[in-house]
Amino acid sequence: MTRVALEGAEGVDLRESYVVPIAGQTLVGLAPGWPPAEASSWPPLAKAEGSSVASSDGDTNLVLRLELTVAEARFASVSIDYQADGQKYRAQSRYSVEVAARCSP
């Protein structure tokens, strides 16, 4: 992986990104502090940018540490630039995230 970024981000910064092998539970969710308590059983974290992930490694999580800079924040997607077999690629998530003090019904 050569780059991990938030696309269309407003009021939120990507502070760190890691690749973590899946061992048991696949979702950590939100937790106070970093890394979350659930991470205590994880192997050492590897920075996403500059890391290599092969299919023989099994499934992995991409873990992002985000920091809100305003009360209501959003991003349109997460993009990941990577290289495989000498070719450059970009993967982009199909979901957006919005954080607000109060959600509409």
Side-chain angles (χ1 to χ4, degrees):
M1 284 184 233
T2 57
R3 178 180 167 269
V4 177
L6 301 179
E7 302 296 335
E10 297 177 22
V12 61
D13 292 328
L14 174 60
R15 293 296 182 199
E16 299 172 294
S17 59
Y18 296 94
V19 290
V20 181
I22 294 176
Q25 182 172 321
T26 60
L27 298 175
V28 175
L30 300 175
W34 178 259
E38 292 88 345
S40 63
S41 63
W42 288 355
L45 300 174
K47 293 263 186 194
E49 291 184 10
S51 70
S52 295
V53 178
S55 58
S56 60
D57 295 336
D59 294 329
T60 58
N61 276 322
L62 175 63
V63 178
L64 307 176
R65 184 175 76 87
L66 307 174
E67 183 177 304
L68 298 180
T69 57
V70 297
E72 295 186 9
R74 64 187 49 80
F75 60 90
S77 63
V78 177
S79 63
I80 304 163
D81 292 350
Y82 64 98
Q83 295 180 6
D85 299 325
Q87 297 292 315
K88 294 181 180 183
Y89 299 93
R90 173 171 285 172
Q92 195 150 350
S93 67
R94 296 182 181 176
Y95 59 86
S96 62
V97 173
E98 184 172 337
V99 178
R102 182 178 201 149
C103 297
S104 301

